[in-house]
């Protein structure tokens, strides 16, 4: 059996293969509610054969969304809207995953096709936005308010409440978003975190709040279900930023708190980093964390070809592969991969004549 199609079991959940649909913002929601677009977008990737289908970065609070058009899980009604989607994903033999997110200083922005910059109130934006420190992402963007102890407790409670709603909605994997320059990454990176209290300065201090959030989510999430954590393993900064050595230690500590998989990405803290982009460019980061932290990892970033994905897994560089743009181009990539790797997977009966 190809490594790509070996089942993957954690706690009480088994993925039928090692192919994961990466969270991809669709900017198509109203008031945080997923709709028909999300059902078709996520459902078609489940029909396509992915083992785990993770929904987009979903706000744990209205003011934690990246844009006014992001999905949310901060209202009771959101759980019911998501349940329709998780039910369909499960019917296709895939596992539905929720990514819990808080954008921090990168909140209240426009959709990409509207320019992606800060969203003014007239365009649905909001103020204040929050961060580890009062440092804007880019000069000219809204200046965030530094979270005080009450604010941090509020955010922890929002993550915990969103976790419980995710269970109510039928999700079987929750992933905490601590990557791409969003709130938890803002605490981790010294480029965004300029605090002088117990949450800033040393690595131990900068990890403190993200680890507290992880603990709150793990406590709220059923013990029988896996917990994932997406991190940026490096800021790709020339100096002074978050880097792989720190990411390894953070991954070790997250594992101790009950995180089952580290979903390894990179970047997002600075606007124009010098990233050596190429096929599988983040795989070495996943491999290093897997080996040094002793935790299962998922690798993402320009993984496009079946043989490439198979080689990553067969060499022990990751436990799972996470695809984004390639699955936008081809929702049935897992079926094409099976064919190229000479492995048979069942097709939906409605599509059997085609496969």
């Amino acid at each position: 059996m190809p490594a790509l199609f070996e089942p993957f079991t954690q706690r009480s959940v088994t993925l039928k293969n090692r192919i994961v649909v990466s969270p991809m913002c669709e900017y198509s929601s109203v008031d945080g509610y997923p709709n028909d677009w999300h059902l078709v977008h996520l459902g078609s990737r489940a029909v396509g054969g992915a083992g785990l289908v993770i929904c987009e970065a979903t706000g744990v609070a209205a003011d934690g969304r990246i844009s006014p058009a992001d999905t949310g899980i901060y209202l009771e009604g959101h759980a019911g809207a998501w349940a329709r989607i998780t039910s369909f994903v499960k019917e296709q033999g895939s596992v539905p995953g929720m990514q819990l997110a808080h954008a921090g200083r990168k909140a209240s922005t426009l959709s990409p096709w509207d320019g992606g910059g800060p969203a003014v109130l007239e365009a649905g934006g909001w103020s204040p936005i929050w961060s580890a420190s009062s440092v804007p992402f880019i000069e000219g963007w809204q200046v965030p308010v530094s979270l005080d102890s009450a604010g941090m407790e509020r955010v922890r409670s929002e993550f915990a409440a969103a976790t419980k709603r995710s269970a109510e909605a039928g999700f079987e994997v929750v992933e905490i978003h601590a990557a791409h320059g969003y709130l938890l990454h803002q605490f981790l990176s010294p480029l965004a975190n300029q605090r002088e209290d117990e949450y800033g300065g040393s690595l131990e201090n900068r990890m403190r709040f993200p680890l507290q959030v992880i603990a709150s989510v793990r406590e709220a999430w059923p013990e029988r279900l896996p917990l994932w954590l997406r991190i940026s393993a490096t800021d790709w900064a020339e100096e002074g930023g978050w880097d792989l050595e720190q990411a390894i230690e953070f991954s070790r500590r997250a594992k101790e708190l009950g995180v089952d998989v580290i979903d390894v990405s990179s970047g997002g803290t600075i606007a124009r980093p010098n990233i050596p982009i190429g096929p599988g460019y983040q795989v070495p980061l996943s491999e290093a964390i897997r080996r040094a932290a002793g935790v299962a990892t998922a690798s993402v970033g320009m993984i496009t070809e079946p043989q490439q994905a198979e080689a990553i897994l067969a060499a022990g560089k990751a436990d799972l592969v996470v695809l984004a743009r390639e699955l936008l181009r081809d929702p049935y990539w897992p079926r094409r991969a099976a064919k190229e790797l000479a492995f048979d997977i069942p097709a939906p009966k409605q599509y059997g004549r085609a496969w």
Side-chain angles (χ1 to χ4, degrees), residues 125-144:
W126 55 87
S127 183
I129 58 174
W130 310 94
S131 187
S133 301
S134 296
V135 180
F137 173 54
I138 301 173
E139 186 176 351
W141 283 39
Q142 187 177 164
V143 177

Side-chain angles (χ1 to χ4, degrees), residues 12-194:
S12 67
V13 175
T14 297
L15 309 184
K16 62 186 177 183
N17 57 49
R18 307 299 180 100
I19 303 167
V20 179
V21 179
S22 185
M24 291 177 279
C25 291
E26 298 298 294
Y27 305 99
S28 299
S29 177
V30 176
D31 294 329
Y33 284 88
N35 52 44
D36 287 351
W37 177 266
H38 301 91
L39 173 64
V40 174
H41 166 66
L42 297 168
S44 62
R45 274 81 201 165
V47 171
L52 174 62
V53 178
I54 307 180
C55 69
E56 65 187 73
T58 298
V60 299
D63 61 3
R65 292 172 296 165
I66 301 167
S67 82
D70 282 14
T71 55
I73 190 71
Y74 51 86
L75 299 175
E76 289 302 324
H78 289 156
W82 279 115
R84 176 182 177 222
I85 296 172
T86 62
S87 177
F88 183 83
V89 169
K90 291 177 186 178
E91 288 172 3
Q92 311 314 309
S94 298
V95 171
M98 162 62 72
Q99 187 184 65
L100 299 176
H102 193 300
R105 69 178 186 176
K106 296 175 82 171
S108 187
T109 60
L110 297 168
S111 301
W113 45 83
D114 291 324
V120 297
L121 297 179
E122 292 76 12
W126 55 87
S127 183
I129 58 174
W130 310 94
S131 187
S133 301
S134 296
V135 180
F137 173 54
I138 301 173
E139 186 176 351
W141 283 39
Q142 187 177 164
V143 177
V145 174
S146 177
L147 283 167
D148 59 14
S149 58
M152 283 186 279
E153 180 57 35
R154 181 186 71 247
V155 171
R156 285 178 61 187
S157 296
E158 289 166 345
F159 268 95
T163 301
K164 293 176 181 178
R165 293 190 191 102
S166 298
E168 294 170 8
F171 288 98
E172 295 180 338
V173 170
V174 152
E175 177 174 87
I176 300 169
H177 199 351
H180 302 163
Y182 297 125
L183 181 63
L184 299 184
H185 188 187
Q186 289 161 28
F187 272 84
L188 293 169
S189 175
L191 297 178
N193 184 344
Q194 299 180 9

